[in-house]
Amino acid sequence: MSGGAWAEGQMQRARAPERQGDIGRLPRRRALLAGAGATAGLLLLGCRGEPVDVRDQAAIAAGGGRGYAGPRVELAFWTGFTGGDRPPMERLLERFNREHDTIAVRMSVTRWGDFYQKLPAAVDSGNGPDVAVMHADQLATAAAHRTVLPLDEVAEALGLRAVHFTRTLWESGVFRGRRYGIPLDVHPLGLYVNRAVLAGAGLDDAALPRARRDYLAALEQLKARGVQGAWVSPGLFTGGLMFQSLLWQHGGALFSEDGARATFDGEAGVEALSFMIELIRRGYSPRDVGQDADSIAFMNNRNAFLWNGIWMINTFKAIPGLRWGVLPVPVLGDRPAVWANAHHLVIPRQTRAGQRRLPAAVVFLDWLSRHSLEWAEAGMVPARREARESAAFQRMTEQATVESQLPHVHFPPAIAGIDAVRASTLDLAVNEAVLLRAAPREALRRAAREADALLASNLRKFGRAS
């Protein structure tokens, strides 16, 4: 399929089912950060949840993690970067390995859907990686299953705080008061515009939509020229992510903060989904849009406006002759808001042998975090504020445009098991309504009842989110 690499990069199309089984209360003992002497150390949680004492850590505790004086080690690094994001990460690893004589990092790449099944099983069997990348919306479940280690003390030793990122992005790595991820990037939705299609309908940059009135006026003019200008997808990518953005724009929320009930069926959700249906009924979108058909139509100059993620930037850049741009998503509700997810660096739970590699793993994690500007070449917004504010990033026009939405991004809630609940209830409701098989209120109400039952089961397994 032309442009098929985006299917790899669209972050969570296929999700692994949540593992079953009761999870006891997680150990809450905080790790000890020693002083800057020869025996400075970090205590993390090891193979069975007991503290792990990582000795001889003066380089980490005192030097901010930028040095490693131990024996030569090889680190296993697992990601789901199977598409156009793989080469930029490979280049980063080549540079890291050149700069570090005693640490060699080897990346193993698996499709995200398989990754989230493979990682917990590998960790439980003692064959997990030293460092991995995980989406923000998967951290809570991984933490509840003790697949990943808490990193509060690592962040403290490296001097990392919210001021180095954004508060919303920094807090997306926290579950039940403990940190489990260090942000590497953030990837929000944007509104892609096909300038050739717009020009064919007599629309120029002055008509680019920022608000509801502009959006509908442009779509009406496109329709008058025989163009269906905003294809609404029934799938999570991208209709489901559009719905979530509109839900937040109307002041709604997906779930209650304690993870006990679904709230997406309130008036904000009904308004959001009804707007999407109205685009179809008015003829601005075809009915029965297939998976990725909205993106294919955009690339073939048949669709003017595309709600899609920042990961599409490199795909569109690679298409000769495509005249396009990207904007912040328009404000169609009463406040700016946009769906986003983020890649976090995590350290999986370690065997005793793996614990000896933890000092080197922290050095690698820190190095990769500080080089997030280079990672922006993958079409991402770097997590580190200094990278985003650099002149080099501002020259990445498309990424910088999407980055302007950071004050308004919303992440999926940090609730264990929530991704599977959303996928089996809300995503199906959006699909059913967009395919005109059920009214928005009816579809959302039924999905919320089903979600509440699943959430009750999650509460028995994981406890309340807050």
Side-chain angles (χ1 to χ4, degrees):
M1 179 185 297
S2 175
W6 88 75
E8 302 284 348
Q10 288 186 326
M11 299 306 157
Q12 304 102 299
R13 178 183 301 171
R15 280 295 191 225
E18 303 303 334
R19 295 188 300 156
Q20 302 298 311
D22 292 335
I23 303 297
R25 184 180 299 275
L26 297 180
R28 302 288 292 179
R29 183 187 302 184
R30 292 188 60 82
L32 301 177
L33 178 61
T39 60
L42 296 171
L43 287 178
L44 300 177
L45 295 179
C47 53
R48 286 181 291 275
E50 72 275 15
V52 176
D53 192 357
V54 184
R55 297 294 179 184
D56 300 322
Q57 285 304 286
I60 293 177
R66 289 151 176 76
Y68 171 69
R72 179 174 175 80
V73 295
E74 182 170 304
L75 300 180
F77 177 47
W78 286 14
T79 79
F81 300 140
T82 56
D85 43 15
R86 181 171 183 166
M89 182 56 71
E90 288 177 335
R91 289 192 291 272
L92 277 167
L93 297 186
E94 289 171 2
R95 178 176 171 185
F96 177 88
N97 288 338
R98 286 196 307 269
E99 294 179 3
H100 295 78
D101 294 333
T102 55
I103 306 175
V105 179
R106 301 288 179 262
M107 181 168 66
S108 175
V109 179
T110 309
R111 292 171 60 95
W112 286 117
D114 298 328
F115 175 93
Y116 288 114
Q117 289 181 332
K118 179 181 177 182
L119 181 64
V123 169
D124 287 346
S125 66
N127 297 304
D130 299 285
V131 183
V133 172
M134 183 171 286
H135 292 93
D137 64 354
Q138 297 296 310
L139 283 176
T141 302
H145 285 302
R146 299 199 306 201
T147 300
V148 294
L149 296 175
L151 299 178
D152 304 83
E153 290 70 37
V154 169
E156 184 179 352
L158 300 177
L160 296 177
R161 301 183 301 279
V163 69
H164 298 112
F165 303 90
T166 70
R167 180 157 297 280
T168 301
L169 179 54
W170 184 239
E171 291 178 352
S172 71
V174 173
F175 174 62
R176 292 179 181 166
R178 298 221 63 180
R179 171 159 307 283
Y180 289 89
I182 304 296
L184 177 63
D185 65 53
V186 55
H187 38 272
L189 288 187
L191 179 71
Y192 291 89
V193 297
N194 185 308
R195 296 184 185 278
V197 174
L198 292 173
L203 297 169
D204 57 20
D205 282 1
L208 294 178
R210 302 287 183 174
R212 188 186 190 103
R213 179 181 297 179
D214 310 330
Y215 193 58
L216 293 176
L219 290 176
E220 189 63 29
Q221 188 162 336
L222 286 160
K223 181 182 175 182
R225 298 295 182 95
V227 177
Q228 292 176 305
W231 291 33
V232 180
S233 166
L236 174 61
F237 293 95
T238 58
L241 304 185
M242 179 182 183
F243 168 79
Q244 293 181 46
S245 299
L246 295 179
L247 171 73
W248 289 313
Q249 287 191 7
H250 285 89
L254 290 169
F255 302 96
S256 61
E257 290 186 3
D258 62 0
R261 61 187 179 88
T263 56
F264 54 71
D265 63 330
E267 288 304 313
V270 174
E271 279 193 66
L273 192 51
S274 296
F275 178 84
M276 295 169 65
I277 306 310
E278 191 65 19
L279 295 180
I280 300 170
R281 294 197 184 280
R282 290 190 185 187
Y284 302 148
S285 168
R287 300 188 179 197
D288 300 334
V289 173
Q291 179 68 57
D292 300 327
D294 50 348
S295 298
I296 295 170
F298 184 91
M299 293 186 287
N300 290 326
N301 296 325
R302 295 172 53 218
N303 183 12
F305 299 127
L306 174 68
W307 294 57
N308 214 323
I310 192 172
W311 52 84
M312 297 300 293
I313 288 175
N314 285 348
T315 296
F316 292 155
K317 282 184 175 179
I319 300 175
L322 184 65
R323 295 169 54 199
W324 65 283
V326 65
L327 304 170
V329 299
V331 181
L332 306 180
D334 56 12
R335 68 200 69 188
V338 60
W339 173 93
N341 211 333
H343 290 120
H344 281 257
L345 298 169
V346 300
I347 296 181
R349 178 163 41 93
Q350 298 297 311
T351 63
R352 293 199 180 278
Q355 291 163 17
R356 293 193 293 270
R357 296 190 297 273
L358 280 172
V362 172
V363 169
F364 171 61
L365 180 151
D366 174 62
W367 187 94
L368 203 53
S369 172
R370 290 186 292 107
H371 288 79
S372 63
L373 176 61
E374 292 92 320
W375 173 236
E377 295 177 10
M380 302 292 170
V381 174
R384 298 287 283 255
R385 183 184 299 274
E386 62 185 4
R388 299 196 311 271
E389 293 178 349
S390 68
F393 178 71
Q394 294 304 315
R395 288 193 293 270
M396 300 179 186
T397 307
E398 293 84 8
Q399 284 98 318
T401 299
V402 177
E403 185 268 346
S404 69
Q405 301 177 107
L406 288 196
H408 311 300
V409 300
H410 287 251
F411 293 101
I415 301 170
I418 207 68
D419 192 68
V421 173
R422 190 219 69 239
S424 61
T425 59
L426 174 59
D427 291 359
L428 297 181
V430 171
N431 183 277
E432 191 177 25
V434 170
L435 292 175
L436 306 182
R437 295 172 182 167
R441 189 181 301 276
E442 171 195 349
L444 292 173
R445 185 168 295 167
R446 183 168 58 248
R449 287 197 301 267
E450 295 169 354
D452 286 349
L454 294 173
L455 291 169
S457 175
N458 275 355
L459 288 176
R460 290 191 293 271
K461 289 188 293 184
F462 304 117
R464 290 185 179 271
S466 59

